[in-house]
Amino acid sequence: AEALRVSFSILKLAMLALLIAYAFSGTFSVGSNEVALRLRFGDYVGDPGKRVLELGTYLAAPFPIEEVVKVDTRPASLTLDREFWYETTAQESGLTRSQLQAQKARPLHPLRDGSLITGDSNIAHAKWTITWRVADPVAYLTNVGTRPLATALVRLVAQQGIVHAAAGIAAEELLRGVVNRDLAVGTMQQKLDDMRTGIVIDQLALDKV
C-alpha cells in the first residue's frame, strides 16, 4: 500500500510537470525583420488593429489550439533578366556590345528571345530589378501565404507594368534610361492591390538596355 501511494504521488508530480511544460510550450519570440500572427482554430486572434505582433516575446496556446505564423517583412529584390532580353550563350556573354549586336542581327525567336515594343513601334531589350516587401501581413497571409507565390505574383505584375510603360515612350528615350516609373509601378501596385496581396512595390530600376 505504501509503495502504491508513493508511486501515485510520483505520477501526479510527473503529470503536473508535463502540464506546465505543455502550457508554456507556446512561448515564442518575434525578430526585428518579421512580424507574427496568431491563429486559433484557423481564425486570427485579436482585434483587426492588434493582430500583428512585432518585436518581442509572446505567449500563445499550444498547438493544435493556436498556431503562430511569422511573416518576413524585409525588402526583397527580383531581377527580370530574361523576360525582355534575347537569348545568349556563354560564349556570347564575353563579346562587346557592337560584336553582339552584329551577331544578333537576325529575326527574334518568340519562344527564346524576350523583347519590348516601344511607343514608336521599335523593339528594345532591357533588364530590370524590382524591390518589394510585405506591408499588410494579414492580407498577405490570407491571400498569398508563401514566399514563392509572392515572388511569382510580383514577377507577373512587373512584366505587365513594364510592357505598359515601354509602350508609351520612344526607343530613343528608353535607350537613355528615360522610363515612366510612376506609370509602371502604379500599374503593378494596382494589380497587387486588386488581388489584396498586402505586397508593396518600393522601387523599379532599369539595369541594362
Side-chain angles (χ1 to χ4, degrees):
E2 182 66 18
L4 286 174
R5 188 183 65 79
V6 173
S7 298
F8 278 118
S9 298
I10 295 175
L11 182 59
K12 290 179 182 179
L13 291 174
M15 292 177 63
L16 180 62
L18 288 174
L19 182 61
I20 295 174
Y22 178 74
F24 284 93
S25 63
T27 302
F28 65 96
S29 298
V30 180
S32 58
N33 295 317
E34 61 184 5
V35 296
L37 295 164
R38 289 167 54 202
L39 283 77
R40 183 178 299 152
F41 300 117
D43 292 330
Y44 294 112
V45 177
D47 297 330
K50 299 181 180 179
R51 291 175 178 173
V52 180
L53 305 177
E54 299 181 346
L55 181 65
T57 301
Y58 303 89
L59 180 63
F63 185 83
I65 300 174
E66 287 188 0
E67 179 184 4
V68 177
V69 180
K70 295 183 179 181
V71 177
D72 191 347
T73 57
R74 292 175 296 181
S77 294
L78 175 64
T79 301
L80 301 183
D81 56 358
R82 292 181 300 175
E83 286 78 1
F84 306 114
W85 200 257
Y86 45 80
E87 184 183 50
T88 58
T89 63
Q91 180 181 3
E92 291 170 342
S93 61
L95 298 178
T96 64
R97 181 176 178 179
S98 59
Q99 291 173 332
L100 194 56
Q101 286 177 339
Q103 184 169 340
K104 284 296 176 181
R106 59 168 176 76
L108 297 175
H109 193 295
L111 297 180
R112 298 193 303 264
D113 301 314
S115 62
L116 289 166
I117 299 179
T118 60
D120 55 354
S121 301
N122 280 301
I123 290 179
H125 305 281
K127 296 182 180 182
W128 310 79
T129 298
I130 299 96
T131 304
W132 63 278
R133 59 184 169 84
V134 176
D136 186 345
V138 176
Y140 172 82
L141 184 60
T142 302
N143 301 311
V144 182
T146 64
R147 201 75 169 182
L149 179 56
T151 303
L153 288 174
V154 172
R155 185 181 296 276
L156 290 173
V157 300
Q159 293 178 50
Q160 296 181 43
I162 291 170
V163 168
H164 190 55
I169 60 175
E172 185 179 351
E173 294 179 285
L174 185 60
L175 287 173
R176 297 200 310 266
V178 179
V179 182
N180 190 343
R181 287 175 172 79
D182 292 337
L183 175 61
V185 173
T187 302
M188 301 177 202
Q189 193 62 60
Q190 184 61 50
K191 294 182 180 298
L192 291 172
D193 293 343
D194 290 343
M195 293 184 286
R196 300 179 183 177
T197 61
I199 296 172
V200 170
I201 302 296
D202 285 332
Q203 186 177 5
L204 172 66
L206 176 59
D207 298 330
K208 190 175 182 181
V209 61

